[in-house]
Short mmCIF file of all heavy atoms in Angstrom, two decimals:
data_model
loop_
_atom_site.label_atom_id
_atom_site.label_comp_id
_atom_site.label_asym_id
_atom_site.label_seq_id
_atom_site.Cartn_x
_atom_site.Cartn_y
_atom_site.Cartn_z
N SER A 10 -18.89 -3.55 8.32
CA SER A 10 -18.74 -2.18 7.71
C SER A 10 -17.95 -2.31 6.34
O SER A 10 -17.14 -3.18 6.24
CB SER A 10 -18.05 -1.20 8.65
OG SER A 10 -16.72 -1.63 8.87
N ARG A 11 -18.21 -1.41 5.49
CA ARG A 11 -17.56 -1.37 4.24
C ARG A 11 -16.84 0.03 4.03
O ARG A 11 -17.38 1.03 4.43
CB ARG A 11 -18.54 -1.53 3.05
CG ARG A 11 -19.36 -2.78 3.18
CD ARG A 11 -18.64 -3.87 2.57
NE ARG A 11 -19.40 -5.15 2.62
CZ ARG A 11 -18.96 -6.27 2.20
NH1 ARG A 11 -17.79 -6.35 1.59
NH2 ARG A 11 -19.67 -7.30 2.27
N VAL A 12 -15.65 -0.04 3.35
CA VAL A 12 -14.89 1.15 3.15
C VAL A 12 -14.31 1.14 1.72
O VAL A 12 -14.42 0.11 1.08
CB VAL A 12 -13.76 1.36 4.13
CG1 VAL A 12 -14.20 1.44 5.57
CG2 VAL A 12 -12.76 0.20 3.97
N THR A 13 -13.81 2.26 1.28
CA THR A 13 -12.94 2.23 0.09
C THR A 13 -11.56 2.02 0.57
O THR A 13 -11.03 2.82 1.39
CB THR A 13 -13.10 3.57 -0.68
OG1 THR A 13 -14.41 3.71 -1.10
CG2 THR A 13 -12.20 3.53 -1.91
N LEU A 14 -10.90 0.95 0.07
CA LEU A 14 -9.55 0.64 0.55
C LEU A 14 -8.63 0.73 -0.58
O LEU A 14 -8.90 0.32 -1.74
CB LEU A 14 -9.56 -0.85 1.05
CG LEU A 14 -8.31 -1.22 1.80
CD1 LEU A 14 -8.33 -0.58 3.21
CD2 LEU A 14 -8.24 -2.76 1.95
N THR A 15 -7.48 1.44 -0.33
CA THR A 15 -6.41 1.61 -1.39
C THR A 15 -5.08 1.06 -0.80
O THR A 15 -4.73 1.30 0.33
CB THR A 15 -6.19 3.05 -1.69
OG1 THR A 15 -7.47 3.61 -2.19
CG2 THR A 15 -5.11 3.29 -2.75
N VAL A 16 -4.43 0.24 -1.66
CA VAL A 16 -3.16 -0.29 -1.32
C VAL A 16 -2.17 0.21 -2.32
O VAL A 16 -2.41 0.07 -3.56
CB VAL A 16 -3.14 -1.90 -1.27
CG1 VAL A 16 -1.76 -2.35 -0.90
CG2 VAL A 16 -4.16 -2.37 -0.26
N ARG A 17 -1.04 0.82 -1.92
CA ARG A 17 -0.07 1.35 -2.81
C ARG A 17 1.34 0.79 -2.52
O ARG A 17 1.63 0.58 -1.39
CB ARG A 17 0.06 2.90 -2.65
CG ARG A 17 -1.19 3.65 -2.92
CD ARG A 17 -0.97 5.14 -2.96
NE ARG A 17 -0.58 5.64 -1.71
CZ ARG A 17 -0.81 6.85 -1.18
NH1 ARG A 17 -1.51 7.67 -1.96
NH2 ARG A 17 -0.34 7.26 -0.09
N VAL A 18 2.07 0.46 -3.60
CA VAL A 18 3.49 0.11 -3.44
C VAL A 18 4.25 1.37 -3.66
O VAL A 18 4.11 1.99 -4.75
CB VAL A 18 3.85 -1.00 -4.51
CG1 VAL A 18 5.31 -1.38 -4.31
CG2 VAL A 18 2.96 -2.28 -4.30
N GLN A 19 5.07 1.73 -2.71
CA GLN A 19 5.82 2.94 -2.81
C GLN A 19 7.32 2.69 -2.93
O GLN A 19 7.83 1.76 -2.28
CB GLN A 19 5.61 3.76 -1.49
CG GLN A 19 4.14 4.21 -1.28
CD GLN A 19 3.77 5.30 -2.18
OE1 GLN A 19 3.04 5.06 -3.19
NE2 GLN A 19 4.18 6.53 -1.89
N LYS A 20 8.02 3.48 -3.73
CA LYS A 20 9.45 3.43 -3.90
C LYS A 20 9.97 4.65 -3.03
O LYS A 20 9.61 5.79 -3.27
CB LYS A 20 9.89 3.55 -5.31
CG LYS A 20 11.38 3.61 -5.51
CD LYS A 20 11.71 3.77 -6.93
CE LYS A 20 13.22 3.88 -7.12
NZ LYS A 20 13.59 4.05 -8.57
N LYS A 21 10.82 4.34 -2.09
CA LYS A 21 11.39 5.36 -1.21
C LYS A 21 12.46 6.15 -1.96
O LYS A 21 13.34 5.54 -2.64
CB LYS A 21 12.00 4.74 0.03
CG LYS A 21 12.42 5.75 1.03
CD LYS A 21 12.47 5.10 2.36
CE LYS A 21 12.72 6.11 3.48
NZ LYS A 21 11.50 6.80 3.86
N ARG A 22 12.35 7.47 -1.93
CA ARG A 22 13.38 8.29 -2.56
C ARG A 22 13.83 9.29 -1.45
O ARG A 22 13.10 9.81 -0.72
CB ARG A 22 12.79 9.08 -3.75
CG ARG A 22 12.32 8.14 -4.81
CD ARG A 22 12.00 8.76 -6.09
NE ARG A 22 11.08 9.90 -5.99
CZ ARG A 22 10.69 10.68 -6.96
NH1 ARG A 22 11.20 10.49 -8.17
NH2 ARG A 22 9.82 11.61 -6.75
N PHE A 23 15.09 9.50 -1.46
CA PHE A 23 15.70 10.44 -0.44
C PHE A 23 15.84 11.82 -1.10
O PHE A 23 16.13 11.99 -2.25
CB PHE A 23 17.11 9.89 -0.05
CG PHE A 23 16.97 8.59 0.57
CD1 PHE A 23 17.21 7.38 -0.17
CD2 PHE A 23 16.61 8.43 1.88
CE1 PHE A 23 17.12 6.17 0.42
CE2 PHE A 23 16.56 7.20 2.50
CZ PHE A 23 16.74 6.00 1.73
N ALA A 24 15.49 12.79 -0.20
CA ALA A 24 15.48 14.20 -0.64
C ALA A 24 14.34 14.58 -1.68
O ALA A 24 14.40 15.55 -2.28
CB ALA A 24 16.80 14.66 -1.15
N GLN A 25 13.42 13.62 -1.87
CA GLN A 25 12.26 13.79 -2.73
C GLN A 25 11.12 13.05 -2.14
O GLN A 25 11.25 12.20 -1.28
CB GLN A 25 12.59 13.28 -4.12
CG GLN A 25 13.75 13.87 -4.91
CD GLN A 25 13.92 13.16 -6.23
OE1 GLN A 25 13.02 12.72 -6.85
NE2 GLN A 25 15.19 13.10 -6.66
N SER A 26 9.95 13.31 -2.70
CA SER A 26 8.76 12.56 -2.33
C SER A 26 8.89 11.14 -2.81
O SER A 26 9.38 10.93 -3.92
CB SER A 26 7.52 13.22 -2.87
OG SER A 26 7.32 14.52 -2.34
N ASP A 27 8.37 10.22 -1.99
CA ASP A 27 8.33 8.81 -2.51
C ASP A 27 7.38 8.68 -3.71
O ASP A 27 6.44 9.49 -3.84
CB ASP A 27 7.90 7.90 -1.40
CG ASP A 27 8.84 7.90 -0.16
OD1 ASP A 27 9.95 8.40 -0.39
OD2 ASP A 27 8.50 7.33 0.85
N VAL A 28 7.58 7.68 -4.55
CA VAL A 28 6.80 7.61 -5.78
C VAL A 28 6.01 6.29 -5.70
O VAL A 28 6.47 5.26 -5.20
CB VAL A 28 7.71 7.63 -6.98
CG1 VAL A 28 8.66 6.52 -7.07
CG2 VAL A 28 6.86 7.68 -8.29
N THR A 29 4.75 6.30 -6.20
CA THR A 29 3.84 5.13 -6.23
C THR A 29 4.19 4.37 -7.55
O THR A 29 4.15 4.92 -8.62
CB THR A 29 2.43 5.57 -6.25
OG1 THR A 29 2.11 6.36 -5.08
CG2 THR A 29 1.51 4.40 -6.37
N VAL A 30 4.57 3.09 -7.40
CA VAL A 30 4.88 2.29 -8.52
C VAL A 30 3.80 1.21 -8.80
O VAL A 30 3.81 0.49 -9.85
CB VAL A 30 6.25 1.52 -8.32
CG1 VAL A 30 7.38 2.59 -8.34
CG2 VAL A 30 6.28 0.67 -7.13
N GLY A 31 2.83 1.11 -7.95
CA GLY A 31 1.63 0.30 -8.14
C GLY A 31 0.53 0.62 -7.18
O GLY A 31 0.85 1.13 -6.06
N SER A 32 -0.68 0.48 -7.56
CA SER A 32 -1.81 0.90 -6.74
C SER A 32 -3.09 0.14 -7.10
O SER A 32 -3.30 -0.19 -8.26
CB SER A 32 -2.10 2.39 -6.83
OG SER A 32 -3.09 2.84 -6.01
N ARG A 33 -3.93 -0.09 -6.12
CA ARG A 33 -5.23 -0.74 -6.38
C ARG A 33 -6.23 -0.14 -5.36
O ARG A 33 -5.91 0.00 -4.19
CB ARG A 33 -5.09 -2.25 -6.27
CG ARG A 33 -6.38 -2.93 -6.56
CD ARG A 33 -6.19 -4.44 -6.49
NE ARG A 33 -7.43 -5.19 -6.74
CZ ARG A 33 -7.58 -6.40 -6.51
NH1 ARG A 33 -6.63 -7.15 -6.03
NH2 ARG A 33 -8.75 -6.95 -6.73
N THR A 34 -7.45 0.12 -5.81
CA THR A 34 -8.43 0.65 -4.97
C THR A 34 -9.78 -0.21 -5.16
O THR A 34 -10.04 -0.59 -6.28
CB THR A 34 -8.79 2.12 -5.33
OG1 THR A 34 -7.59 2.90 -5.09
CG2 THR A 34 -9.94 2.70 -4.45
N HIS A 35 -10.41 -0.49 -4.06
CA HIS A 35 -11.62 -1.32 -4.13
C HIS A 35 -12.66 -0.58 -3.22
O HIS A 35 -12.46 -0.43 -2.04
CB HIS A 35 -11.32 -2.62 -3.51
CG HIS A 35 -12.40 -3.68 -3.66
ND1 HIS A 35 -13.60 -3.61 -3.04
CD2 HIS A 35 -12.52 -4.75 -4.55
CE1 HIS A 35 -14.40 -4.58 -3.36
NE2 HIS A 35 -13.73 -5.29 -4.31
N ALA A 36 -13.75 -0.20 -3.87
CA ALA A 36 -14.87 0.40 -3.09
C ALA A 36 -15.69 -0.68 -2.43
O ALA A 36 -15.69 -1.82 -2.88
CB ALA A 36 -15.73 1.15 -4.10
N LEU A 37 -16.35 -0.33 -1.37
CA LEU A 37 -17.20 -1.31 -0.57
C LEU A 37 -16.38 -2.54 -0.13
O LEU A 37 -16.91 -3.64 -0.13
CB LEU A 37 -18.50 -1.64 -1.39
CG LEU A 37 -19.30 -0.54 -1.78
CD1 LEU A 37 -20.45 -0.98 -2.67
CD2 LEU A 37 -19.87 0.21 -0.55
N PHE A 38 -15.16 -2.35 0.28
CA PHE A 38 -14.33 -3.45 0.73
C PHE A 38 -14.73 -3.78 2.17
O PHE A 38 -14.84 -2.89 3.00
CB PHE A 38 -12.88 -3.06 0.65
CG PHE A 38 -11.88 -4.18 0.83
CD1 PHE A 38 -11.50 -4.91 -0.21
CD2 PHE A 38 -11.40 -4.50 2.09
CE1 PHE A 38 -10.66 -6.02 -0.09
CE2 PHE A 38 -10.55 -5.52 2.26
CZ PHE A 38 -10.13 -6.31 1.20
N GLY A 39 -14.93 -5.07 2.48
CA GLY A 39 -15.18 -5.52 3.81
C GLY A 39 -14.01 -5.94 4.56
O GLY A 39 -13.17 -5.11 5.00
N ASN A 40 -13.75 -7.23 4.69
CA ASN A 40 -12.60 -7.79 5.40
C ASN A 40 -11.90 -8.69 4.45
O ASN A 40 -12.49 -9.33 3.62
CB ASN A 40 -13.05 -8.62 6.59
CG ASN A 40 -13.61 -7.77 7.64
OD1 ASN A 40 -12.95 -6.97 8.32
ND2 ASN A 40 -14.93 -7.84 7.91
#
Side-chain angles (χ1 to χ4, degrees):
S10 67
R11 303 278 179 177
V12 298
T13 298
L14 194 72
T15 300
V16 179
R17 299 188 298 210
V18 178
Q19 298 286 103
K20 177 181 178 182
K21 189 157 187 83
R22 297 193 306 178
F23 298 96
Q25 299 178 31
S26 297
D27 295 349
V28 63
T29 301
V30 295
S32 180
R33 183 175 177 195
T34 299
H35 189 289
L37 300 175
F38 191 87
N40 291 291

